Amino acid sequence: MLFELKAELSKEDILERVSSFDIFQMYCKNFEEVGKHFCSEFRIDKTPSCIIDEIRGDLMYSDFGYGLHIRAVDYVKLKFNLDFKDALEKIAEDFNLYKDYGNEKINKNNININNNNN
């Protein structure tokens, strides 16, 4: 049986490898381009009232119908109902970042566990 050892990737590690733009493009199905309004995925939105725009050097998702303003990782948290750590793991897995981070697969059958109390 194979299982994977995964180093924990921090938000900074992830954002060094994947841009906020890439994260929004992957997960926000109605997002087409920065600065262009689109309809919310989180509610019925007949008039496009969401935008992803650059604010202070990073992208921010704004839903004016909810009064919601969040960055990329928080968007993933909200969309998939995840906590912060699980959102980071989802991004890392979906963008295949673990292979770039030096993680390896281990064959569980080749691990020897010594339970002797000598």
Side-chain angles (χ1 to χ4, degrees):
M1 170 191 282
L2 289 178
F3 65 94
E4 229 174 302
L5 293 178
K6 294 180 183 174
E8 292 206 14
L9 293 172
S10 69
K11 178 180 174 181
E12 292 75 21
D13 293 329
I14 289 171
L15 292 176
E16 283 179 10
R17 293 166 175 79
V18 178
S19 70
S20 294
F21 179 86
D22 292 333
I23 293 170
F24 282 123
Q25 192 173 45
M26 167 82 91
Y27 299 115
C28 186
K29 67 179 182 177
N30 295 334
F31 171 56
E32 294 178 7
E33 65 184 81
V34 173
K36 182 178 178 184
H37 283 85
F38 56 90
C39 292
S40 175
E41 296 178 72
F42 301 118
R43 60 188 172 77
I44 296 171
D45 189 12
K46 295 179 183 177
T47 303
S49 62
C50 292
I51 193 168
I52 294 174
D53 217 349
E54 185 176 345
I55 307 290
R56 297 185 192 148
D58 194 13
L59 296 180
M60 182 173 291
Y61 173 97
S62 295
D63 183 335
F64 298 104
Y66 270 161
L68 178 69
H69 307 283
I70 55 178
R71 305 261 180 213
V73 174
D74 291 320
Y75 177 85
V76 174
K77 281 176 51 180
L78 178 64
K79 180 166 184 166
F80 298 101
N81 194 28
L82 300 171
D83 64 21
F84 184 75
K85 181 178 181 266
D86 289 340
L88 293 178
E89 287 180 7
K90 176 164 186 52
I91 294 166
E93 287 193 22
D94 290 349
F95 282 92
N96 205 19
L97 298 181
Y98 286 120
K99 78 173 177 98
D100 297 334
Y101 204 66
N103 293 298
E104 56 186 294
K105 292 191 178 195
I106 305 289
N107 187 332
K108 188 176 180 181
N109 296 327
N110 291 336
I111 297 175
N112 293 321
I113 300 173
N114 186 350
N115 287 330
N116 296 338
N117 294 327
N118 297 345

PDB file of all heavy atoms in Angstrom, residues 26-39:
ATOM      1  N   MET A  26      -9.327  29.189 -11.432  1.00  0.00           N
ATOM      2  CA  MET A  26      -9.605  27.765 -11.243  1.00  0.00           C
ATOM      3  C   MET A  26     -10.963  27.541 -10.581  1.00  0.00           C
ATOM      4  O   MET A  26     -11.703  26.654 -10.969  1.00  0.00           O
ATOM      5  CB  MET A  26      -8.501  27.130 -10.395  1.00  0.00           C
ATOM      6  CG  MET A  26      -8.813  25.740  -9.867  1.00  0.00           C
ATOM      7  SD  MET A  26      -8.527  24.419 -11.047  1.00  0.00           S
ATOM      8  CE  MET A  26      -6.856  24.030 -10.665  1.00  0.00           C
ATOM      9  N   TYR A  27     -11.293  28.333  -9.581  1.00  0.00           N
ATOM     10  CA  TYR A  27     -12.449  28.030  -8.741  1.00  0.00           C
ATOM     11  C   TYR A  27     -13.675  28.914  -8.967  1.00  0.00           C
ATOM     12  O   TYR A  27     -14.780  28.507  -8.630  1.00  0.00           O
ATOM     13  CB  TYR A  27     -12.052  28.121  -7.263  1.00  0.00           C
ATOM     14  CG  TYR A  27     -10.960  27.150  -6.889  1.00  0.00           C
ATOM     15  CD1 TYR A  27      -9.710  27.597  -6.485  1.00  0.00           C
ATOM     16  CD2 TYR A  27     -11.177  25.772  -6.941  1.00  0.00           C
ATOM     17  CE1 TYR A  27      -8.703  26.709  -6.141  1.00  0.00           C
ATOM     18  CE2 TYR A  27     -10.176  24.883  -6.601  1.00  0.00           C
ATOM     19  CZ  TYR A  27      -8.942  25.361  -6.196  1.00  0.00           C
ATOM     20  OH  TYR A  27      -7.950  24.471  -5.854  1.00  0.00           O
ATOM     21  N   CYS A  28     -13.519  30.083  -9.481  1.00  0.00           N
ATOM     22  CA  CYS A  28     -14.644  31.009  -9.659  1.00  0.00           C
ATOM     23  C   CYS A  28     -15.134  30.904 -11.099  1.00  0.00           C
ATOM     24  O   CYS A  28     -14.587  31.541 -12.004  1.00  0.00           O
ATOM     25  CB  CYS A  28     -14.207  32.435  -9.318  1.00  0.00           C
ATOM     26  SG  CYS A  28     -15.566  33.618  -9.328  1.00  0.00           S
ATOM     27  N   LYS A  29     -16.172  30.104 -11.290  1.00  0.00           N
ATOM     28  CA  LYS A  29     -16.599  29.758 -12.656  1.00  0.00           C
ATOM     29  C   LYS A  29     -17.073  30.961 -13.475  1.00  0.00           C
ATOM     30  O   LYS A  29     -16.991  30.932 -14.694  1.00  0.00           O
ATOM     31  CB  LYS A  29     -17.670  28.678 -12.620  1.00  0.00           C
ATOM     32  CG  LYS A  29     -18.977  29.110 -12.018  1.00  0.00           C
ATOM     33  CD  LYS A  29     -20.002  27.999 -12.028  1.00  0.00           C
ATOM     34  CE  LYS A  29     -21.315  28.515 -11.458  1.00  0.00           C
ATOM     35  NZ  LYS A  29     -22.351  27.536 -11.499  1.00  0.00           N
ATOM     36  N   ASN A  30     -17.562  32.011 -12.838  1.00  0.00           N
ATOM     37  CA  ASN A  30     -18.074  33.162 -13.590  1.00  0.00           C
ATOM     38  C   ASN A  30     -17.017  34.234 -13.850  1.00  0.00           C
ATOM     39  O   ASN A  30     -17.271  35.183 -14.576  1.00  0.00           O
ATOM     40  CB  ASN A  30     -19.261  33.785 -12.841  1.00  0.00           C
ATOM     41  CG  ASN A  30     -20.441  32.835 -12.770  1.00  0.00           C
ATOM     42  OD1 ASN A  30     -20.600  31.964 -13.611  1.00  0.00           O
ATOM     43  ND2 ASN A  30     -21.269  32.986 -11.753  1.00  0.00           N
ATOM     44  N   PHE A  31     -15.851  34.093 -13.270  1.00  0.00           N
ATOM     45  CA  PHE A  31     -14.767  35.066 -13.427  1.00  0.00           C
ATOM     46  C   PHE A  31     -14.124  34.913 -14.800  1.00  0.00           C
ATOM     47  O   PHE A  31     -13.725  33.828 -15.196  1.00  0.00           O
ATOM     48  CB  PHE A  31     -13.732  34.842 -12.323  1.00  0.00           C
ATOM     49  CG  PHE A  31     -12.462  35.620 -12.478  1.00  0.00           C
ATOM     50  CD1 PHE A  31     -12.470  36.999 -12.601  1.00  0.00           C
ATOM     51  CD2 PHE A  31     -11.244  34.965 -12.479  1.00  0.00           C
ATOM     52  CE1 PHE A  31     -11.285  37.719 -12.719  1.00  0.00           C
ATOM     53  CE2 PHE A  31     -10.053  35.670 -12.594  1.00  0.00           C
ATOM     54  CZ  PHE A  31     -10.077  37.043 -12.719  1.00  0.00           C
ATOM     55  N   GLU A  32     -14.060  36.051 -15.530  1.00  0.00           N
ATOM     56  CA  GLU A  32     -13.431  36.048 -16.853  1.00  0.00           C
ATOM     57  C   GLU A  32     -12.176  36.898 -16.900  1.00  0.00           C
ATOM     58  O   GLU A  32     -11.185  36.501 -17.486  1.00  0.00           O
ATOM     59  CB  GLU A  32     -14.428  36.521 -17.907  1.00  0.00           C
ATOM     60  CG  GLU A  32     -15.592  35.566 -18.105  1.00  0.00           C
ATOM     61  CD  GLU A  32     -16.595  36.081 -19.116  1.00  0.00           C
ATOM     62  OE1 GLU A  32     -16.333  37.118 -19.766  1.00  0.00           O
ATOM     63  OE2 GLU A  32     -17.650  35.447 -19.252  1.00  0.00           O
ATOM     64  N   GLU A  33     -12.266  38.097 -16.316  1.00  0.00           N
ATOM     65  CA  GLU A  33     -11.095  38.973 -16.327  1.00  0.00           C
ATOM     66  C   GLU A  33     -11.153  39.950 -15.159  1.00  0.00           C
ATOM     67  O   GLU A  33     -12.233  40.282 -14.664  1.00  0.00           O
ATOM     68  CB  GLU A  33     -10.967  39.714 -17.656  1.00  0.00           C
ATOM     69  CG  GLU A  33     -12.086  40.676 -17.946  1.00  0.00           C
ATOM     70  CD  GLU A  33     -11.965  41.322 -19.323  1.00  0.00           C
ATOM     71  OE1 GLU A  33     -12.349  40.685 -20.304  1.00  0.00           O
ATOM     72  OE2 GLU A  33     -11.475  42.480 -19.372  1.00  0.00           O
ATOM     73  N   VAL A  34      -9.986  40.386 -14.761  1.00  0.00           N
ATOM     74  CA  VAL A  34      -9.876  41.334 -13.651  1.00  0.00           C
ATOM     75  C   VAL A  34     -10.595  42.625 -14.035  1.00  0.00           C
ATOM     76  O   VAL A  34     -10.439  43.141 -15.146  1.00  0.00           O
ATOM     77  CB  VAL A  34      -8.392  41.616 -13.324  1.00  0.00           C
ATOM     78  CG1 VAL A  34      -8.255  42.724 -12.282  1.00  0.00           C
ATOM     79  CG2 VAL A  34      -7.706  40.345 -12.848  1.00  0.00           C
ATOM     80  N   GLY A  35     -11.422  43.126 -13.101  1.00  0.00           N
ATOM     81  CA  GLY A  35     -12.116  44.390 -13.303  1.00  0.00           C
ATOM     82  C   GLY A  35     -13.436  44.275 -14.038  1.00  0.00           C
ATOM     83  O   GLY A  35     -14.123  45.280 -14.221  1.00  0.00           O
ATOM     84  N   LYS A  36     -13.834  43.077 -14.443  1.00  0.00           N
ATOM     85  CA  LYS A  36     -15.095  42.885 -15.163  1.00  0.00           C
ATOM     86  C   LYS A  36     -16.126  42.272 -14.217  1.00  0.00           C
ATOM     87  O   LYS A  36     -15.874  41.234 -13.605  1.00  0.00           O
ATOM     88  CB  LYS A  36     -14.875  41.976 -16.375  1.00  0.00           C
ATOM     89  CG  LYS A  36     -16.128  41.776 -17.197  1.00  0.00           C
ATOM     90  CD  LYS A  36     -15.859  40.902 -18.408  1.00  0.00           C
ATOM     91  CE  LYS A  36     -17.146  40.683 -19.188  1.00  0.00           C
ATOM     92  NZ  LYS A  36     -16.938  39.757 -20.305  1.00  0.00           N
ATOM     93  N   HIS A  37     -17.293  42.904 -14.113  1.00  0.00           N
ATOM     94  CA  HIS A  37     -18.356  42.404 -13.246  1.00  0.00           C
ATOM     95  C   HIS A  37     -18.927  41.079 -13.762  1.00  0.00           C
ATOM     96  O   HIS A  37     -18.960  40.839 -14.966  1.00  0.00           O
ATOM     97  CB  HIS A  37     -19.485  43.440 -13.140  1.00  0.00           C
ATOM     98  CG  HIS A  37     -19.148  44.572 -12.239  1.00  0.00           C
ATOM     99  ND1 HIS A  37     -18.438  45.668 -12.670  1.00  0.00           N
ATOM    100  CD2 HIS A  37     -19.401  44.782 -10.928  1.00  0.00           C
ATOM    101  CE1 HIS A  37     -18.271  46.512 -11.668  1.00  0.00           C
ATOM    102  NE2 HIS A  37     -18.841  46.000 -10.592  1.00  0.00           N
ATOM    103  N   PHE A  38     -19.356  40.243 -12.817  1.00  0.00           N
ATOM    104  CA  PHE A  38     -19.976  38.959 -13.139  1.00  0.00           C
ATOM    105  C   PHE A  38     -20.992  38.609 -12.058  1.00  0.00           C
ATOM    106  O   PHE A  38     -21.049  39.263 -11.015  1.00  0.00           O
ATOM    107  CB  PHE A  38     -18.919  37.855 -13.293  1.00  0.00           C
ATOM    108  CG  PHE A  38     -18.026  37.679 -12.092  1.00  0.00           C
ATOM    109  CD1 PHE A  38     -18.363  36.795 -11.077  1.00  0.00           C
ATOM    110  CD2 PHE A  38     -16.842  38.398 -11.982  1.00  0.00           C
ATOM    111  CE1 PHE A  38     -17.543  36.634  -9.971  1.00  0.00           C
ATOM    112  CE2 PHE A  38     -16.010  38.233 -10.884  1.00  0.00           C
ATOM    113  CZ  PHE A  38     -16.360  37.355  -9.871  1.00  0.00           C
ATOM    114  N   CYS A  39     -21.800  37.587 -12.313  1.00  0.00           N
ATOM    115  CA  CYS A  39     -22.839  37.167 -11.361  1.00  0.00           C
ATOM    116  C   CYS A  39     -22.252  36.283 -10.268  1.00  0.00           C
ATOM    117  O   CYS A  39     -21.368  35.462 -10.521  1.00  0.00           O
ATOM    118  CB  CYS A  39     -23.948  36.416 -12.085  1.00  0.00           C
ATOM    119  SG  CYS A  39     -24.895  37.476 -13.194  1.00  0.00           S
TER     120      CYS A  39
END
